[in-house]
Amino acid sequence: MKTFTIINELKMKHFKKLIVALALAAGVTSCESLDVEPTGFYSDENFYKTIEDAEASILYAYDALTLVSYAPVTYYFTELASDNCNVKADEGADAQAFVNWEITAQNQLLTQYYRSIYIAVNRANAVIENIEGKGFNPEDEKRILGEALFLRAYNHFNAVKAFGLAPLQKSLIDKLDETTATLPADMQEVYAFLIDDLTRAIDNLEVNRVTGRADKVAAQALLSKVYLFAASAKESGVPKYNAITESVDNLYAKAAEYAGMVLNNQGEYSHDTDLQNIYNIDSPNGPEHIFILSLDRSGTQEGDYSKLSKYFIPYIDGATVYLKNTDGTFSPTHDGWSVFQTSDKLFSSYAADDKRKTDLFVSEIYDQDEVAIGSVADGTVIYPFTRKYIDPLFEGDKTSTRPYLIRYSDIQLVYAEATANADGLAQYNQIRNRANATELASIGGLSKVDFRKLIVEERQRELAYEGDRLWDLRRTNTVQSNVTNAAGLSPEAVAFYPIPQREIDLNPNIN
C-alpha cells in the first residue's frame, strides 16, 4: 500500500478528533475572520489520548506542506526571480512581478506563502506542546516530537530565506491575543532557534525512511543547510547577517560536520549513479530522496495529488505527447501551462554533452507512433523543458510529481562548499562524473572563495528547478550580478521579500 494511502486513511480516521479552529487554518497571524475566541483546540482533554491521535496530528502537520498555496508557490519565489527561468507573457501580474523584481507587500503570492508557512508552524507547535508526558511508548514519543521539531524548523527556515526577520512562532496559537507575534531581535535569535530545534530533532530521531516524512538524516541535512546559509550570508555581507555571533569559519565547519554525518554515518541514503532514476516518479524511496513530499495521482483533491508538472511543460495543443528516453523507449506526458520557461542562460550553462542537459531537458516531442512531431528548432516546443517533473502514468491533470525538498546530491554540494578542500572536491567530482562533465583535477591554485563559487555554479546545474537557486544567490549576495532585473534595487530588497501588507496591518508588532 502506498504511503500516500496510509497517510490519508489515518488522517480521515482521526480527522474528526483533530479539533482546530478553521479560522486559524486560514491564517495564523491574522485575526480578521475570528469573531469569537476559539475554544476547540488541541488539548489533553479532547486529543492525544492514543498513539493514533498523535500520529494523526503529525500527519496533519506534514499535510500543510502540500497546500496548494505553499509548495507550488515556492517555485515562483525561487525560480522566476532567479536566472533559471522566465514566465509566460500572459501569466498573472503577481507572477510577472517576480521576474521583473517589482515585488510589493500587496503581492498575493507572497501573502499565500507567508500564511502557509505559519499554518504549518502552528500545526507543528500543536504536536510539540502536546506529545510529551502522555504515557506513549518512549520511542514513539521521541520520534513524533523529533519530526515536529524538524517541521517547525523547516518552515521557519523558509520564512527567514524568504522574508528575513519574520516572526518566530515558538508556541501553539490557541487564543486571539497570541496572533500578534513580535519580530525576532536579530538573525542571531533566528538562527539560534533553528539550530536548537534541529539539534533536538536529531537527538530524538533515528534513521527511518518513510516517504513524505523526516528522520534523523533529514534533520542533519537541514541543519547543514542552515549553517551553510548563515556562513555564506555572513561572509558575503548580506544585510542583517552580521548579527550572527559565531565566526564564518565556525559556521562553515558546522555545515561540514552535519553534512558529513549525512554522507558518512548512515547507509540508507546515497548517491544515485543513475541520473534519470532520481526523477522516476514511482521511486520516491530512491537513494537520493532524503525528504520528499507524499503526493500521489490517486488522491482526490489537489494537494493530495500534484499538478506541478503543468507549470514546467509547455502548452502543445492540449495533447498527449511522447518523450524519447535514453534507452530508446518513449514515455507519454500531458502538455502543460508554459508557466516556468527555461532561460537561455541556464540552458547554455551546461556543456553540450552534460547528461543533465541531454537526458533531463526535452527539445523534441513525438506522437504515439514514435514519429517526431515538433521541436524547439521548429518552434513547436517553445522552450527546452525539464524532465524532472514528468509522470507517464498521469490521470488527466493529476500526477505524482513531487518537490525534491532535500536530496543527497544537495548535501554533497553543501559538504563540498563548506569544506572547500580535497574531501569536498571528491564530492563535487562525483556529481560531475555522473553528469559526464569534466572533473576538476585539484583545487590547487584555487582559493576557498573561488572554489565555493564553482560549487554555487554547480548547484545551479544540478538543482535546477528544485527550489534552491534564488536562496543560493541571496546567501552569496549575488542576486544582482546574476539577475538583470534586480539591478538598482537596495541590498535589503534583493535579500528579503517584503512581509505582506495584510499581515502588517493585522499585527501591530510587525513593522
Side-chain angles (χ1 to χ4, degrees), residues 440-499:
L440 182 64
S442 77
I443 56 174
L446 284 177
S447 68
K448 287 191 172 185
V449 170
D450 288 339
F451 181 62
R452 285 172 174 149
K453 287 180 180 177
L454 290 180
I455 300 300
V456 173
E457 291 172 4
E458 196 65 27
R459 287 180 63 84
Q460 181 181 24
R461 290 184 289 268
E462 179 68 19
L463 304 173
Y465 299 133
E466 296 183 34
D468 277 288
R469 179 57 175 169
L470 181 65
W471 308 148
D472 285 342
L473 295 180
R474 278 188 167 174
R475 66 180 175 82
T476 55
N477 209 1
T478 55
V479 173
Q480 290 173 309
S481 60
N482 286 277
V483 183
T484 302
N485 288 339
L489 297 177
S490 70
E492 289 77 13
V494 293
F496 314 115
Y497 291 132
I499 290 177

Side-chain angles (χ1 to χ4, degrees), residues 39 228 268 270 387:
T39 58
L228 182 71
E268 182 63 37
S270 62
R387 290 192 63 149

Side-chain angles (χ1 to χ4, degrees), residues 1 3-18 47 51-60 213:
M1 181 179 293
T3 303
F4 164 82
T5 304
I6 296 171
I7 287 176
N8 279 276
E9 283 183 353
L10 275 169
K11 187 163 51 176
M12 292 306 295
K13 179 178 179 182
H14 298 286
F15 188 75
K16 290 181 181 179
K17 299 172 70 178
L18 195 59
F47 204 64
I51 190 60
E52 288 79 16
D53 290 346
E55 288 285 358
S57 68
I58 191 65
L59 294 178
Y60 190 58
R213 300 182 72 160

Side-chain angles (χ1 to χ4, degrees), residues 29 114 117-118 121 155-156 159-160 163-170 179-184 190 193 499 503 507 509-510:
T29 59
Y114 185 96
I117 284 173
Y118 287 100
V121 167
N155 291 293
H156 274 126
V160 72
F163 302 104
L165 292 179
L168 292 176
Q169 192 62 54
K170 300 180 181 182
T179 63
T180 55
T182 59
L183 296 180
V190 173
F193 185 65
I499 290 177
E503 303 300 330
N507 184 352
N509 293 318
I510 297 177

Side-chain angles (χ1 to χ4, degrees), residues 287-461:
E288 289 257 345
H289 301 147
I290 293 174
F291 186 44
I292 188 170
L293 292 188
S294 180
L295 297 165
D296 193 277
R297 68 184 79 86
S298 64
T300 57
Q301 60 185 11
E302 189 174 358
D304 296 335
Y305 62 81
S306 170
K307 290 185 180 180
L308 188 57
S309 55
K310 302 290 282 189
Y311 291 88
F312 290 96
I313 304 174
Y315 177 75
I316 312 169
D317 295 330
T320 295
V321 296
Y322 289 76
L323 314 180
K324 190 172 185 178
N325 302 317
T326 55
D327 63 1
T329 62
F330 291 79
S331 296
T333 181
H334 54 51
D335 70 354
W337 297 328
S338 309
V339 178
F340 302 140
Q341 303 186 6
T342 303
S343 71
D344 292 339
K345 181 179 178 182
L346 172 63
F347 196 63
S348 63
S349 72
Y350 298 93
D353 56 353
D354 190 317
K355 288 184 177 181
R356 293 169 299 193
K357 184 175 190 176
T358 60
D359 296 5
L360 294 180
F361 278 93
V362 177
S363 296
E364 189 169 28
I365 57 170
Y366 300 79
D367 64 17
Q368 61 184 350
D369 297 318
E370 303 176 2
V371 176
I373 57 173
S375 67
V376 171
D378 68 16
T380 305
V381 180
I382 60 175
Y383 56 89
F385 62 93
T386 181
R387 290 192 63 149
K388 291 185 176 183
Y389 303 104
I390 297 293
D391 184 354
L393 300 178
F394 65 94
E395 299 175 3
D397 287 351
K398 297 166 61 175
T399 77
S400 297
T401 51
R402 308 170 179 88
Y404 305 99
L405 301 180
I406 305 177
R407 65 179 178 88
Y408 191 86
S409 292
D410 178 4
I411 307 308
Q412 288 184 278
L413 291 172
V414 169
Y415 182 82
E417 186 177 345
T419 57
N421 62 17
D423 291 336
L425 176 64
Q427 300 296 331
Y428 169 79
N429 277 336
Q430 189 175 40
I431 289 170
R432 297 277 296 174
N433 180 268
R434 178 177 64 190
N436 194 40
T438 304
E439 294 185 14
L440 182 64
S442 77
I443 56 174
L446 284 177
S447 68
K448 287 191 172 185
V449 170
D450 288 339
F451 181 62
R452 285 172 174 149
K453 287 180 180 177
L454 290 180
I455 300 300
V456 173
E457 291 172 4
E458 196 65 27
R459 287 180 63 84
Q460 181 181 24
R461 290 184 289 268

